[in-house]
Amino acid sequence: MNQIRKFMYGRYGFDQFTRALVVMSLILSLISTFLRFNLLSMLSYLPFVYALFRILSKNIAKRTQENMKYCKMANQCKKMFNDIKLSLVGTKTHKYFKCVHCKQSIRVPRGKGKISITCPKCKTEFIRRT
Ligand SMILES: [Zn+2]
């Protein structure tokens, strides 16, 4: 145990980006097993090798920067998926529509039947079922 600690001293270790790489590698290898696709199974090792490299890396500043970039991108993706989800299904109490003119997102209460919606930004009116 002590030797592992000594070996890991000054090395970067595990972070969110590394976790994502490991997950990606697992998913790729699962898909390749499923499809019996050999090239993909070889490719599935790449993110894993890169994850190992990052864990053992001594260039901590560079790895931290990579992780920050990854987190920023992951957050943007999450936000995008959330926006898509909201515009498709809305919430229990509200539905979301995009203005036909300026694409502004507009939230309206659910279950009011067919209503005319006025965009708060450009004042365009359009009719939607809520
Ligand atoms: Zn508008």
Side-chain angles (χ1 to χ4, degrees):
M1 209 47 212
N2 213 8
Q3 260 188 335
I4 295 174
R5 204 173 296 156
K6 214 184 262 173
F7 177 70
M8 284 307 292
Y9 180 77
R11 292 178 197 268
Y12 183 67
F14 208 78
D15 66 6
Q16 292 94 326
F17 186 32
T18 302
R19 191 183 62 192
L21 285 169
V22 172
V23 170
M24 196 162 94
S25 165
L26 282 175
I27 291 172
L28 280 178
S29 77
L30 266 178
I31 294 172
S32 69
T33 326
F34 200 68
L35 300 176
R36 298 170 200 280
F37 187 20
N38 282 332
L39 183 72
L40 193 65
S41 122
M42 257 148 53
L43 281 177
S44 75
Y45 287 106
L46 286 178
F48 191 74
V49 170
Y50 189 47
L52 269 182
F53 159 75
R54 295 191 77 252
I55 290 170
L56 300 177
S57 170
K58 287 186 171 176
N59 191 347
I60 290 169
K62 188 103 188 272
R63 300 290 89 78
T64 308
Q65 218 175 32
E66 280 173 1
N67 191 47
M68 269 163 61
K69 255 189 219 160
Y70 162 75
C71 285
K72 206 173 147 195
M73 208 178 71
N75 271 336
Q76 274 169 351
C77 283
K78 228 185 261 170
K79 198 175 166 293
M80 205 177 74
F81 277 115
N82 203 29
D83 281 353
I84 292 170
K85 199 182 126 205
L86 276 182
S87 66
L88 287 178
V89 291
T91 63
K92 274 192 178 135
T93 51
H94 292 87
K95 266 191 150 183
Y96 291 77
F97 296 108
K98 279 221 159 40
C99 169
V100 288
H101 182 69
C102 70
K103 307 289 179 226
Q104 162 81 26
S105 180
I106 303 161
R107 189 179 81 151
V108 290
R110 234 177 222 288
K112 301 280 182 205
K114 251 188 187 174
I115 57 164
S116 157
I117 300 165
T118 309
C119 171
K121 205 169 153 192
C122 68
K123 311 291 175 208
T124 306
E125 254 184 73
F126 53 99
I127 291 167
R128 287 287 181 276
R129 179 174 288 281
T130 62

